[in-house]
Amino acid sequence: MVRAVEDAYLALAAGESDNPRKLSVAHPDGWSVAYAMLGRDGRRRVVAMKTSYKFDPSHDRSTKRYYTTITLYDDATGMPIAMMDCARVGAVRTPAASALLVRETMRPDARSVLLIGTGTQGRHALPHLLAANPQLDRLMVYGTHEEGLKAVHDQLAAYRPGLELRTVADPRAAARAADVVLATAGPGTAVALESADLAPGSVAVLVGYGLAPSALHDADRVIATSAEQMALTGTDMAGPDGRLRPVDAELPTILARRAVGRRGDDERIFVYNSGLVLTDVAVAHALAERAIGEGRGTEVRLWD
């Protein structure tokens, strides 16, 4: 999955793929939000449409509703490939992108990681992170839901049995000792680490919630998967003047070696991981190919 996501970014950097800006519509009272995203993967010869809808009037896990789909088309034959539930795709491509972002921005001697949040992204974060950064072996997790904490421990144990993961009670103290911070918590979290909580030379990756705006605005360097997407979805990280700190480099250009992630060991780097539909396309296509090859799914005749 990490390789599929990296290939998608490299194709975009090479001008072989297209990732237009997403369309969105939201309820005026914030009850719901819907997105539509179109992408073309020039290397895989696949075009896809992703849609998502979230209904969350009270920010309560028991009432939240979220639906997302992706439809793939073969751009070489003109035939549809698959229509899929995109929840698993999103659960995989986001931590894969985080793994690449950390690989390109952490110090060479980095060893310790603090994971904040134990939801879907939290559960998938560490296996993908370690796939791209196997030297990270001092692992910490902070969460408030016992079931979520157990799921994070179980998921890691399935991929890396014997590797210790320590549950911490004080995320701020843990952050001051961490080389890498992955903030994957949901909107209901009470944690919002300030820049002063982050160690010199550390990298803090914002996937969901868990970092305060100062972590962005006081950073020595800002990296994003997409500056355009950050401007669209990162408005809650705006400073007192209502503006976002400019992005210094984007992941696709870093992977293509036209920009650098880190310039010095003492830099504190803020990373914003917002999804690009091209990574959904790459992961969905890889999963669809495997599923079709194994005879999974249901074949439906829609067009003659």
Side-chain angles (χ1 to χ4, degrees), residues 248-259:
D248 294 300
E250 295 178 310
L251 181 59
T253 56
I254 294 172
L255 293 174
R257 304 304 173 219
R258 299 203 301 267

Side-chain angles (χ1 to χ4, degrees), residues 223-301:
I223 308 298
T225 45
S226 166
E228 184 179 49
Q229 292 286 10
M230 179 174 165
L232 180 67
T233 62
T235 53
D236 59 322
M237 296 296 287
D241 60 357
R243 298 181 180 181
L244 286 173
R245 161 84 180 271
V247 171
D248 294 300
E250 295 178 310
L251 181 59
T253 56
I254 294 172
L255 293 174
R257 304 304 173 219
R258 299 203 301 267
V260 296
R262 175 176 288 275
R263 299 171 302 181
D265 288 350
D266 293 333
E267 284 188 320
R268 280 189 302 191
I269 299 179
F270 175 91
V271 175
Y272 191 84
N273 182 357
S274 58
L276 291 183
V277 72
L278 280 179
T279 58
D280 292 279
V281 176
V283 169
H285 187 242
L287 291 173
E289 282 193 318
R290 180 173 176 178
I292 293 169
E294 295 179 1
R296 297 175 180 269
T298 302
E299 187 170 352
V300 178
R301 190 174 187 85

Side-chain angles (χ1 to χ4, degrees), residues 137 139 153 156-165:
D137 57 2
L139 309 179
H153 280 268
L156 177 64
Y159 283 87
R160 292 288 298 272
L163 189 61
E164 181 183 1
L165 172 61

Side-chain angles (χ1 to χ4, degrees), residues 158-195:
Y159 283 87
R160 292 288 298 272
L163 189 61
E164 181 183 1
L165 172 61
R166 184 164 60 93
T167 299
V168 299
D170 186 343
R172 286 178 170 77
R176 288 191 285 270
D179 300 313
V180 177
V181 175
L182 291 176
T184 71
T189 184
V191 178
L193 298 180
E194 302 284 352
S195 59

Side-chain angles (χ1 to χ4, degrees), residues 125-142:
L126 294 177
H128 288 84
L129 181 69
L130 296 176
N133 307 282
Q135 73 274 34
L136 297 172
D137 57 2
R138 299 172 186 167
L139 309 179
M140 300 172 284
V141 59
Y142 172 80

